[in-house]
Amino acid sequence: MFLKYKKKIQTILLYKDSPLLSIEDKVNIILSPEYYWVKKVSLPIKYVREVKPLLPSLFEGSIPDGQYSYSAYKDGDDFYIFAYEDKSILDVIHAKGLKTAQVQNIYFAQSEFSALEQPVSIDASQSMCLEEGIVVLLPSLWIEEGSDLNISTLTLSKHKNSLKQFGHLVDNKSLYGIIGIFLFFILAATSELYMTMQKIETQVLQREKLFQDKTLKSTMMQNRAILTELKKVHENQTSFRRAIGSVLSLKLQGNEKLSLITLKNKKLLIEFVNIKRVREIQILGILKKKGLVFTSSLKSEVLKVEVKL
Amino acid sequence: MNRLNLLHVVLALVGLLILLNVFLSQKKENLEEVKIAYNETLVISKQLNSLNDVYSNKKRVQQSITRLLQQRSLRKAKIKQKITKSGIIFTSKSLSLSEVNSLMSKIINGTYNVYAVKIKKISKDKVSFMMELRW
């Protein structure tokens, strides 16, 4: 069995004149009333989630213009509704020497001190007290009797709030629009991805079918090698037919005869008999004109022509 | 502060979109490669088929040669045939010039793989003949 040690997190009250803090650990922050606007309202609705959409209109015209976030909680039959500026609060937190990451939870003084029985002084000049259920800050001079604030004994409520770090840059409505646009692009990219994968699968299947239908060898390397070999055969056969055609179309004179034709090892050997030197030149000239590459010899009126195919 | 806010959602969606696009571009490259491979296979298969049919189709060569030798001009020629594993060899100790002309013109104008030939004049109007066709 494992026991988890839970370290108690320090709670601080943040107000305009609160001292600079030098804390490294996480802290819970209670915001004094000067950092939010609060209203206690009675509405003919039951749940907080139904109130939330109404919050901006409930504050409209009663607070200065600004980039507000809203929250609410229910207490009995009444709702406490809040408007606050995230950026202003974050600026104060940073100005007091705290980092955003150190902040565990944010609370409003309203929710944490709603059960004050008598005013409490938060420093020499200011005190907090309840006025018709609303926690307010007053100069201590106005308070006749009160006690010092002992925040360490305070039990925090469940009414936590969140701060939007970049909320002042873009409002929620715009963010929903941006999210919608991104979702559209994600959907488009996903469907394109799906179609591309389908196309790949189809092409692969078509290629496999081609291998089967055309009875190709299993690898392309084998098929390329066979094709190269067949192309060589084709070139060789074309050369042979061109050479033999050229030789057979020669017009021999008198008793000149073609005595031998052999084809072996891609060499075509032709022998003519009764060929004089003058005729040798003429015959070889004709063969050259026809583009044949050959070697020749004339001995005892026998002209041998060897054509390399 | 730890709660997820909309900006985090936007950032997550941006990340997802980038990942999807990277994956998509990889798949598109794959598709191009597969298309190229298919086209290459198609071209090679066509060339192989046509060249095989011309030079490596044993059945076609045999049928064609049988028809050729039964033609009127060659029917009386004494041509021996020997079929080997790799091809067919014709030999004749004595062919007339008209017979050899007829045979040669048909072989040369046909689609055969002529591997070896020997035609030797043995008299005024006779030749000895040898030809090997391969498949």
Side-chain angles (χ1 to χ4, degrees):
Chain A
M1 189 178 182
F2 297 96
L3 289 173
K4 193 176 173 185
Y5 172 72
K6 193 172 179 182
K7 191 178 176 184
K8 185 167 168 53
I9 297 170
Q10 189 181 348
T11 304
I12 57 166
L13 177 71
L14 202 69
Y15 55 99
K16 195 178 171 186
D17 299 323
S18 60
L20 279 176
L21 300 159
S22 55
I23 300 170
E24 295 296 322
D25 297 332
K26 290 208 166 211
V27 288
N28 288 316
I29 292 177
I30 300 173
L31 296 171
S32 83
E34 60 206 333
Y35 295 122
Y36 59 84
W37 298 92
V38 60
K39 280 184 179 183
K40 184 181 177 183
V41 292
S42 186
L43 296 167
I45 43 182
K46 201 171 174 184
Y47 301 107
V48 171
R49 65 169 184 271
E50 294 171 296
V51 178
K52 281 189 174 172
L54 308 173
L55 294 176
S57 58
L58 289 170
F59 279 102
E60 199 176 351
S62 57
I63 56 174
D65 288 341
Q67 194 74 50
Y68 291 102
S69 292
Y70 300 93
S71 72
Y73 66 85
K74 194 174 182 183
D75 187 21
D77 292 334
D78 298 323
F79 290 96
Y80 285 92
I81 60 173
F82 299 86
Y84 55 98
E85 286 185 295
D86 303 87
K87 188 175 182 298
S88 308
I89 296 168
L90 282 166
D91 288 347
V92 172
I93 289 170
H94 296 150
K96 296 295 178 188
L98 289 173
K99 293 172 192 160
T100 313
Q102 281 180 266
V103 182
Q104 180 74 14
N105 287 308
I106 298 272
Y107 299 86
F108 293 135
Q110 179 64 42
S111 60
E112 308 313 305
F113 299 110
S114 59
L116 278 181
E117 288 172 359
Q118 59 176 351
V120 287
S121 62
I122 58 173
D123 63 8
S125 60
Q126 292 183 95
S127 295
M128 267 193 306
C129 64
L130 272 178
E131 283 290 328
E132 296 176 1
I134 301 292
V135 176
V136 292
L137 267 185
L138 292 173
S140 295
L141 291 172
W142 296 7
I143 309 295
E144 287 177 359
E145 51 179 280
S147 58
D148 287 338
L149 175 67
N150 186 3
I151 208 163
S152 60
T153 58
L154 191 69
T155 304
L156 294 169
S157 71
K158 59 179 180 179
H159 305 305
K160 299 169 189 172
N161 295 282
S162 62
L163 296 178
K164 289 178 222 149
Q165 291 189 58
F166 304 100
H168 61 288
L169 297 177
V170 198
D171 61 20
N172 275 0
K173 202 175 171 185
S174 307
L175 279 176
Y176 281 122
I178 291 167
I179 287 171
I181 291 166
F182 275 114
L183 283 175
F184 171 77
F185 281 117
I186 285 169
L187 194 69
T190 309
S191 56
E192 197 176 348
L193 184 65
Y194 175 75
M195 284 191 287
T196 308
M197 287 168 82
Q198 288 291 312
K199 281 181 191 168
I200 291 172
E201 201 180 322
T202 310
Q203 283 282 309
V204 169
L205 287 175
Q206 278 182 341
R207 190 163 177 254
E208 281 172 10
K209 194 170 179 293
L210 199 62
F211 268 81
Q212 285 172 355
D213 291 350
K214 304 286 180 183
T215 56
L216 297 176
K217 298 284 179 194
S218 54
T219 67
M220 284 305 285
M221 197 183 280
Q222 287 173 294
N223 290 313
R224 282 194 204 102
I226 293 169
L227 183 62
T228 308
E229 197 57 40
L230 282 170
K231 278 183 174 173
K232 274 185 195 167
V233 169
H234 182 67
E235 281 169 21
N236 189 253
Q237 290 302 308
T238 310
S239 302
F240 166 67
R241 280 161 174 77
R242 192 162 58 87
I244 203 89
S246 302
V247 170
L248 294 177
S249 65
L250 284 172
K251 285 177 182 163
L252 300 177
Q253 294 174 358
N255 58 350
E256 291 171 352
K257 301 284 181 202
L258 187 56
S259 62
L260 180 70
I261 298 174
T262 61
L263 170 68
K264 202 174 182 184
N265 299 329
K266 297 177 184 175
K267 280 179 186 168
L268 180 65
L269 179 68
I270 302 132
E271 274 186 25
F272 299 91
V273 292
N274 303 323
I275 304 294
K276 306 284 185 210
R277 178 66 66 184
V278 180
R279 283 291 294 152
E280 179 209 7
I281 294 165
Q282 286 175 349
I283 290 168
L284 297 181
I286 293 167
L287 294 178
K288 263 184 193 168
K289 264 188 186 174
K290 298 212 173 188
L292 298 187
V293 180
F294 58 84
T295 55
S296 66
S297 65
L298 180 67
K299 203 181 273 181
S300 308
E301 295 191 345
V302 175
L303 174 62
K304 291 182 180 178
V305 179
E306 191 178 293
V307 183
K308 196 163 187 287
L309 302 175
Chain B
M1 295 297 287
N2 294 329
R3 276 175 59 187
L4 189 73
N5 68 31
L6 287 178
L7 209 62
H8 292 142
V9 176
V10 171
L11 290 176
L13 291 179
V14 170
L16 182 62
L17 192 59
I18 290 169
L19 274 178
L20 268 173
N21 275 307
V22 169
F23 198 49
L24 182 61
S25 66
Q26 282 175 351
K27 286 289 165 193
K28 279 188 173 174
E29 276 175 28
N30 282 358
L31 179 61
E32 279 308 304
E33 286 166 10
V34 171
K35 272 185 183 172
I36 290 168
Y38 174 78
N39 288 334
E40 190 198 9
T41 312
L42 190 65
V43 170
I44 285 181
S45 73
K46 278 181 182 171
Q47 290 179 339
L48 269 177
N49 260 30
S50 57
L51 287 172
N52 264 328
D53 194 47
V54 172
Y55 297 116
S56 306
N57 192 335
K58 182 181 174 182
K59 197 177 169 187
R60 185 195 67 83
V61 173
Q62 277 184 324
Q63 284 175 348
S64 172
I65 290 296
T66 307
R67 277 200 303 274
L68 194 153
L69 295 177
Q70 281 172 355
Q71 286 184 5
R72 190 183 292 172
S73 58
L74 294 168
R75 209 177 291 159
K76 289 178 184 173
K78 290 173 183 172
I79 299 172
K80 287 181 184 173
Q81 289 182 57
K82 186 184 173 190
I83 295 173
T84 64
K85 199 177 175 183
S86 57
I88 184 165
I89 300 169
F90 307 106
T91 52
S92 177
K93 284 182 180 172
S94 177
L95 279 184
S96 70
L97 289 178
S98 63
E99 286 168 342
V100 81
N101 275 340
S102 173
L103 184 60
M104 278 302 285
S105 67
K106 285 179 174 68
I107 295 282
I108 285 170
N109 291 320
T111 48
Y112 305 99
N113 180 7
V114 181
Y115 183 73
V117 177
K118 188 172 184 183
I119 305 168
K120 190 174 183 183
K121 195 172 176 63
I122 53 172
S123 68
K124 193 182 173 189
D125 55 358
K126 294 283 181 186
V127 294
S128 65
F129 180 85
M130 188 285 293
M131 179 179 276
E132 183 180 353
L133 303 180
R134 288 246 171 130
W135 48 62

